[in-house]
Amino acid sequence: MWRGNCKAGPVHRLVEHASRYLRWPAICVALCFTSTCGDEIGRQPAGWDDELRMPLAADLDPDPHVLEVELVAQEADLQLRPGPPTHLFTYSGSLPGPMLRLRQGDRLLVHFRNELSEPTSIHWHGVRLDNPMDGAPPHTQTPVMPGETFDYDFVVPDAGTFWYHPHVRSAAQVGFGMYGALIVDPPTGPESAELLGDELVVVLSDISLDDDNRLVEPDSGGELATLFGREGEPVLANGKQRAWLLATRGLRQRWRMINASRSRYFQLDLGGQPFTQIGGDAGLLSKPVETAAPVIVPGGRADLVVEPAGTAHDSLPMQWVPFDRGFGSTEFRVPVTLFSVSLSETEASEPLPLSPVAVPVELLSAEGATPVDLELTQRTALDGSLELGINGVPFDESAPIPASVGETQLWTVTNRMAFSHPFHLHGFFFQPLDEDGVSVGEWRDTVDVPRDDGKLRFLVRYDNRPGMWMFHCHILDHADAGMMGMVDLRQ
Ligand code: C2O
Ligand code: CU
């Protein structure tokens, strides 16, 4: 925001900082007029994302097409909010875990070590990898026991926004802090910041803490809490509560958002300003969509472009707003500020037209597709306990869905419960259909199935990666309570 040659730089910085808190822009404006400095139009302010940018994992391999990293599942004490630090589960001691970033077609090699006192694994959410690398015990590998190691080694075939998390006791472990971003750029490198805006990756999450900042037991609240799905406080963006982001007014920014919370849906609001969604689960969309209040379900991703507008030195709250996913999700609940966007003195001139270049989606056809019908259900077990399931039975009693390589299936998932469920399939993208049964032309891996008999219909075509592939509700409390199943894909 201040140029290197600005004599008033440090003072300006201080005053600007103070004015953000005091909401007292006058001093800063006065100072700007009396000094030689000014905002640089066409760029974000210096240090615009310092509070939110996540560090990248160190690459141990000099080959530009191999990202070789070490990840350690370990406990760590981190400061999440005022008061004592919190003893968390982490990847390599940070929250979120280190960000992994490579290019489409590159190889990712992860030396994973489990230093927790319980078994775990890493699942690479959304990545079309070979079955033994999917990190979903007991089907694709045995759990990584305390003190053990496992090497994940695969090629990333698609550009897009992905993430990683454990697949053992996942509601508890994700809820305790285990997740990280995995970004895959196109082969030519990151898309132009000039066209799409300066980019920030934002991992959204929440963590249940008690008054002493200690983790709350993962089964707190009993079956009612399981039925609802446990949402925690504080709500975090890149592991921080209410951090600052600086923005040049009217200048495009690109936010790649990942919902890594165990149960919370994120409906977003930036003072009513419009977002353009340019990407989703599987990279850039073939057609960008305007949206005022994007909703990102647990496990889902959204690549959003925004041009923060407003009065100089004002700040805009980027908020979580309640989304109706069933009883208790909106009643008596108020918005929560995720981070604040502090607006610059100067304003950008007309930006270049937004032109994301996406590969057009080849539309799958329902003709000849094998129908697969599923219902998301709940029941009371013989001992009176709550069991969630699919087609009336919990995961441990379910039979896998048979599929063969090359086959196309038409799934109809009907939600028989009074709570919505974000449905996730491992290993394959699918194409949701609209009400007329026509593909919406987007590849997805995690999609909301609305409550009270809501339906999700999609087409999936299986390529040559046989194995046991899981699908489940990404409200991880629901998955752990039995709302999971498997596709048994054979040659
Ligand atoms: Cu993101 Cu089976 O999970
Ligand atoms: Cu669910």
Side-chain angles (χ1 to χ4, degrees):
M1 186 159 273
W2 36 87
R3 295 200 184 112
N5 62 2
C6 167
K7 291 189 193 66
V11 186
H12 185 159
R13 196 184 296 237
L14 197 79
V15 174
E16 161 119 353
H17 198 70
S19 75
R20 267 201 258 139
Y21 287 93
L22 300 172
R23 293 167 192 267
W24 197 16
I27 304 181
C28 197
V29 174
L31 198 92
C32 284
F33 279 126
T34 53
S35 73
T36 54
C37 71
D39 296 343
E40 228 173 311
I41 301 169
R43 294 183 51 183
Q44 301 298 341
W48 68 285
D49 63 347
D50 279 0
E51 287 195 16
L52 280 162
R53 178 156 297 267
M54 291 183 288
L56 285 171
D59 187 356
L60 308 171
D61 190 316
D63 184 331
H65 295 296
V66 178
L67 175 60
E68 181 178 3
V69 300
E70 192 174 77
L71 284 181
V72 184
Q74 63 182 91
E75 297 180 27
D77 291 317
L78 294 172
Q79 192 77 42
L80 296 185
R81 62 180 181 193
T86 300
H87 194 70
L88 294 163
F89 281 21
T90 68
Y91 287 110
S92 302
S94 70
L95 182 79
M99 179 156 75
L100 309 180
R101 188 157 199 157
L102 65 177
R103 292 184 188 185
Q104 187 176 3
D106 286 359
R107 173 176 167 212
L108 178 59
L109 174 54
V110 177
H111 304 294
F112 177 54
R113 196 165 72 247
N114 181 9
E115 288 183 359
L116 300 173
S117 54
E118 59 181 68
T120 188
S121 73
I122 309 183
H123 168 58
W124 308 93
H125 185 119
V127 181
R128 296 189 301 138
L129 36 61
D130 284 334
N131 194 258
M133 293 294 122
D134 195 45
H139 307 290
T140 67
Q141 67 172 106
T142 53
V144 184
M145 302 305 284
E148 281 186 1
T149 60
F150 189 89
D151 281 351
Y152 292 95
D153 186 354
F154 53 89
V155 164
V156 287
D158 304 289
T161 308
F162 306 96
W163 65 295
Y164 60 93
H165 64 81
H167 225 282
V168 174
R169 226 165 68 93
S170 55
Q173 293 188 0
V174 170
F176 287 172
M178 297 182 80
Y179 36 80
L182 167 60
I183 306 297
V184 183
D185 290 308
T188 46
E191 287 101 355
S192 146
E194 207 168 326
L195 291 180
L196 298 186
D198 289 292
E199 185 213 270
L200 178 71
V201 178
V202 185
V203 176
L204 301 167
S205 67
D206 60 1
I207 291 199
S208 284
L209 301 184
D210 67 14
D211 290 344
D212 297 316
N213 289 353
R214 283 178 311 221
L215 290 171
V216 168
E217 284 302 316
D219 57 356
S220 66
E223 287 182 343
L224 263 183
T226 301
L227 188 61
F228 182 68
R230 292 172 180 83
E231 296 185 13
E233 295 271 357
V235 184
L236 304 168
N238 292 350
K240 303 229 170 79
Q241 213 188 352
R242 293 173 156 266
W244 286 97
L245 185 68
L246 313 183
T248 296
R249 290 187 296 141
L251 186 63
R252 202 168 281 161
Q253 295 199 359
R254 174 187 185 186
W255 301 343
R256 287 176 178 255
M257 316 212 72
I258 301 167
N259 183 349
S261 63
R262 66 191 276 187
S263 296
R264 183 185 288 263
Y265 282 50
F266 278 83
Q267 177 166 231
L268 303 173
D269 173 74
L270 183 69
Q273 302 204 13
F275 294 92
T276 305
Q277 185 174 352
I278 59 165
D281 292 346
L284 295 179
L285 303 177
S286 50
K287 253 194 250 108
V289 246
E290 293 287 325
T291 160
V295 177
I296 313 176
V297 299
R301 287 86 71 206
D303 199 337
L304 303 169
V305 168
V306 62
E307 286 164 15
T311 315
H313 307 291
D314 222 347
S315 76
L316 303 170
M318 174 63 170
Q319 289 185 310
W320 169 91
V321 285
F323 174 77
D324 184 7
R325 61 175 184 88
F327 182 75
S329 54
T330 55
E331 290 83 356
F332 309 110
R333 301 189 72 183
V334 291
V336 177
T337 298
L338 303 168
F339 54 88
S340 297
V341 181
S342 171
L343 298 176
S344 66
E345 166 69 22
T346 54
E347 197 164 11
S349 45
E350 271 299 288
L352 295 166
L354 184 62
S355 56
V357 217
V359 189
V361 171
E362 180 213 337
L363 296 188
L364 294 181
S365 141
E367 229 182 273
T370 320
V372 173
D373 293 316
L374 296 186
E375 295 193 348
L376 307 178
T377 51
Q378 75 185 84
R379 74 172 190 193
T380 309
L382 290 177
D383 64 359
S385 63
L386 169 77
E387 278 177 344
L388 301 185
I390 290 175
N391 291 343
V393 293
F395 180 53
D396 52 11
E397 292 173 31
S398 69
I401 290 170
S404 46
V405 167
E407 182 183 358
T408 301
Q409 293 184 336
L410 169 57
W411 287 45
T412 304
V413 184
T414 307
N415 182 356
R416 295 297 182 209
M417 287 178 57
F419 290 99
S420 302
H421 301 286
F423 179 90
H424 170 52
L425 173 64
H426 284 210
F428 299 88
F429 292 124
F430 52 80
Q431 277 178 20
L433 305 180
D434 63 17
E435 270 127 54
D436 304 322
V438 180
S439 167
V440 300
E442 187 188 348
W443 292 112
R444 298 288 299 270
D445 60 54
T446 312
V447 173
D448 188 41
V449 192
R451 65 199 170 97
D452 300 313
D453 300 325
K455 274 190 204 313
L456 163 69
R457 288 206 293 160
F458 65 78
L459 288 164
V460 57
R461 187 170 59 199
Y462 300 102
D463 54 25
N464 192 10
R465 289 174 297 120
M468 285 287 193
W469 296 100
M470 308 198 79
F471 56 86
H472 56 89
C473 175
H474 223 288
I475 288 182
L476 296 173
D477 284 301
H478 293 176
D480 284 2
M483 195 173 280
M484 262 200 296
M486 270 181 301
V487 170
D488 181 1
L489 178 60
R490 304 202 181 180
Q491 220 116 32

